[in-house]
Amino acid sequence: MWESNPEAFKTRYSLSSRAVRHFRCTAEHLTARCDGGRDIEENIVAACHYCNRTRHRRKRPKDAASFASFVRSTIDRGRWHLAPSPVSIGAEPGDPARKTRQTK
């Protein structure tokens, strides 16, 4: 995520100007304000703009603990978002250090 320098993040991860907007750091309410969540430290965490915008819009939004578990398991499988790993930047195709984007 980036907070104040989208150009550096864009360059580091080889993203388009449009894609880099999804990774802007925002304040995510664990319990949405529309569900009675308050603007207090215990209810706010950092999240990328995309996750913040889409998490509560699902038909069946996950509670904070379930969503945290979902994020951890997705990251462990190497499938979080579309940004390539910094390891893959500059690696040659076929290089074992190169990580490729996985699809569902």
Side-chain angles (χ1 to χ4, degrees), residues 52-72:
N52 194 346
R53 195 183 60 197
T54 59
R55 186 186 120 183
H56 297 288
R57 291 184 180 176
R58 295 177 179 212
K59 288 184 181 182
R60 294 185 182 146
K62 297 179 184 294
D63 61 53
S66 297
F67 193 72
S69 177
F70 165 75
V71 168
R72 280 189 214 97

Side-chain angles (χ1 to χ4, degrees), residues 1-13 20 23-25:
M1 287 188 293
W2 61 272
E3 185 176 11
S4 62
N5 190 350
E7 287 302 315
F9 192 85
K10 175 183 164 183
T11 301
R12 180 175 180 187
Y13 292 101
V20 79
F23 297 99
R24 180 175 48 94
C25 186

